[in-house]
Amino acid sequence: MTSVYSPGSPILLPHGARIFNRLVDFLRKQYVQYGFQEVITPTIYKKALWATSGHLENYADDMYTVTSTSASRADDAEYGLKPMNCPGHCLIFASQGRSYRDLPIRYADFSPLHRNEISGALSGLTRVRRFHQDDGHIFCRPSQIREEISKTLDFVRLTYGILGLGPYRLVLSTRPEQYIGSIDDWAQAEEALKRALTESGNDYTINEGDGAFYGPKIDIILKDSDGKEHQTATIQLDFQLPKRFGLKYTAPAPEFERRGETTTDPELLAEYGPVQPVLIHRAVLGSAERLMALLIEHYNGKWPFWLNPRQAIVITVNSTEPVVRWARHTRDVLLGLSPAPASATPASPTGLAVDFDDSDRTVGLKVREATSKGYGVIVTVGPDDLLNNTVCINAAALAGPNESAEQLKKLRRINMTPEEARDFMLSKVNSYQ
Ligand SMILES: [Zn+2]
């Protein structure tokens, strides 16, 4: 939802927050594999920073200014609300001496960002003023560009595969008429991008002259179920910000290093000097909010279990006291609250989203309602289950499109203990099914 008090800033209700957090959790886990370190950075920076980064010149119309309303507390500067994380990450890179051995350094940041879209353009989760990117910045040596681009393309392929999104196409945008930096830099960067694209086995098209003024980029254009195209992930090479922030690292044979070349000459290798790192901006989801909008449309209520905001519901067959007690126990097992931890130990929940229905209505009605709401697993608890220490789970909603009628029938009625039901669901979550 949104509020008239903050147009363009989506308010995520509990179910939306679940989906958002699971997407972020998924990426955090992949970051371990892809060598990203998450950082947490300020929301407001003095205008001096935005002058250094070039945003004041090129992006001021899209930015919000933050000032103190109390004259006595105003400091010497106006602040800008950040539209991007890159300048903050440049500050971190510049905060200490860096050696070629430290590179690549990859920072990830899920900070909220604000961009001042005109109010007429605002729409749902897609055209917003406040959003989150799965933002990442890679500071690397010129010789590392190609590998970093390849890895990022792998990351995109993995993520879109898990989410079942696609097909997507790749577009390489090259040097525009207005550009900064040398022609040599551009040629080298475009060549690196082309080679990475070719090696990744992806077809791509070239958008001549459509690069950012600071460097060429690869956009990932996703096709939705209606055939409509959306730009989601992006990979941008940047020589501008490292220059503006005076970023450097020390490396042997700096002349060679700068060109992304190596030498075996021991005399040259003995000489160390400063070299400017290359900055790669990359986002795999792009705007998390916009990607959620795409997923909502894409899944159309049939969420995969790991993302489903309604993963399971425990339903009582009748409302007798023993049945309700066993049903509550089952819910607690699924939530990870049973067995209860010893007092003063922290809770260790499973993270499963489990609802509970012990209303007086018929079980048939309750199951139908749960099915229409899109629950992944429906757990019913009746008197027979009490005798056997089991529950009955209906996991038909998790069936693939090609499941046989016989298999489907089996999935509708599986008897297991609450602990087995919990482990079954966690196995789905952990394998992103
Ligand atoms: Zn950036």
Side-chain angles (χ1 to χ4, degrees):
M1 63 170 273
T2 50
S3 160
V4 290
Y5 293 108
S6 191
S9 295
I11 296 174
L12 295 188
L13 301 176
H15 284 184
R18 276 180 197 164
I19 295 168
F20 180 95
N21 285 330
R22 288 188 190 138
L23 289 171
V24 169
D25 281 350
F26 166 77
L27 290 167
R28 283 199 170 116
K29 286 184 180 147
Q30 309 320 309
Y31 283 163
V32 177
Q33 186 180 342
Y34 285 95
F36 279 86
Q37 305 175 82
E38 193 174 337
V39 293
I40 294 172
T41 54
T43 304
I44 58 173
Y45 292 96
K46 290 184 179 179
K47 286 221 163 144
L49 180 91
W50 304 113
T52 303
S53 68
H55 282 82
L56 228 43
E57 263 168 71
N58 298 305
Y59 210 77
D61 285 351
D62 295 299
M63 281 181 63
Y64 286 98
T65 296
V66 182
T67 52
S68 172
T69 46
S70 154
S72 62
R73 293 190 198 169
D75 60 24
D76 53 345
E78 260 186 4
Y79 289 74
L81 201 47
K82 72 175 166 190
M84 302 179 191
N85 293 307
C86 353
H89 294 185
C90 287
L91 294 180
I92 301 174
F93 186 92
S95 65
Q96 63 183 84
R98 308 286 182 181
S99 146
Y100 70 104
R101 293 173 198 276
D102 304 328
L103 271 48
I105 291 175
R106 309 179 190 90
Y107 295 130
D109 201 322
F110 292 105
S111 289
L113 304 173
H114 286 84
R115 296 182 188 172
N116 193 0
E117 295 272 351
I118 53 171
S119 59
L122 298 175
S123 156
L125 289 170
T126 49
R127 293 299 295 271
V128 294
R129 286 178 174 159
R130 177 193 147 104
F131 62 101
H132 302 73
Q133 276 187 326
D134 60 322
D135 206 3
H137 293 99
I138 302 167
F139 298 90
C140 71
R141 304 163 69 183
S143 59
Q144 292 170 329
I145 294 174
R146 196 153 44 91
E147 199 188 336
E148 290 306 311
I149 303 287
S150 291
K151 279 190 187 158
T152 305
L153 288 170
D154 284 350
F155 198 167
V156 169
R157 189 179 318 137
L158 172 88
T159 305
Y160 286 36
I162 294 277
L163 293 172
L165 293 174
Y168 57 82
R169 62 188 181 89
L170 303 173
V171 179
L172 170 64
S173 296
T174 57
R175 179 165 48 85
E177 273 178 34
Q178 286 253 341
Y179 68 94
I180 56 132
S182 71
I183 295 266
D184 277 358
D185 280 352
W186 277 86
Q188 186 195 328
E190 288 175 8
E191 192 49 39
L193 290 185
K194 279 182 192 165
R195 276 167 64 186
L197 281 166
T198 309
E199 279 172 18
S200 69
N202 286 292
D203 287 337
Y204 65 96
T205 52
I206 293 185
N207 220 344
E208 214 66 69
D210 203 35
F213 68 95
Y214 50 77
K217 60 173 182 165
I218 299 170
D219 286 329
I220 285 84
I221 316 278
L222 187 71
K223 204 174 255 183
D224 70 17
S225 38
D226 299 331
K228 221 176 128 204
E229 295 201 315
H230 307 267
Q231 195 244 299
T232 52
T234 181
I235 309 169
Q236 305 188 355
L237 272 190
D238 186 351
F239 311 112
Q240 155 96 342
L241 276 189
K243 197 172 286 170
R244 283 180 170 265
F245 280 90
L247 304 185
K248 55 182 183 297
Y249 64 96
T250 51
E255 282 311 314
F256 283 80
E257 177 73 19
R258 249 167 240 140
R259 295 196 299 269
E261 293 167 5
T262 48
T263 172
T264 48
D265 184 333
E267 221 167 283
L268 288 172
L269 285 174
E271 184 214 330
Y272 278 66
V275 180
Q276 183 184 297
V278 177
L279 172 57
I280 302 172
H281 310 248
R282 49 104 273 173
V284 174
L285 305 182
S287 151
E289 281 81 353
R290 195 151 46 103
L291 198 94
M292 280 173 68
L294 283 172
L295 289 177
I296 289 167
E297 222 166 81
H298 177 70
Y299 293 130
N300 194 21
K302 291 195 164 42
W303 293 93
F305 187 76
W306 72 279
L307 273 180
N308 195 342
R310 292 187 167 107
Q311 279 170 322
I313 185 166
V314 179
I315 288 175
T316 54
V317 168
N318 63 43
S319 47
T320 58
E321 197 271 339
V323 166
V324 172
R325 185 152 26 95
W326 183 238
R328 285 212 181 104
H329 169 74
T330 299
R331 177 195 56 191
D332 289 349
V333 168
L334 297 180
L335 289 172
L337 301 178
S338 176
S343 67
T345 48
S348 174
T350 56
L352 292 170
V354 185
D355 289 327
F356 191 69
D357 185 354
D358 65 346
S359 66
D360 262 337
R361 301 171 303 159
T362 68
V363 64
L365 188 69
K366 291 195 277 190
V367 168
R368 271 201 300 285
E369 184 183 275
T371 306
S372 73
K373 281 186 173 169
Y375 281 94
V377 176
I378 298 170
V379 183
T380 49
V381 176
D384 292 350
D385 298 308
L386 273 174
L387 299 174
N388 304 322
N389 279 346
T390 57
V391 293
C392 179
I393 76 162
N394 176 344
L398 308 188
N402 304 319
E403 214 79 65
S404 68
E406 194 189 339
Q407 187 62 20
L408 211 56
K409 203 173 149 199
K410 260 191 216 158
L411 282 172
R412 261 194 205 110
R413 265 196 90 80
I414 315 172
N415 291 303
M416 46 173 78
T417 65
E419 288 76 13
E420 285 165 345
R422 173 198 63 201
D423 294 346
F424 168 78
M425 292 184 215
L426 287 178
S427 75
K428 297 281 172 196
V429 168
N430 293 333
S431 54
Y432 301 108
Q433 292 183 50

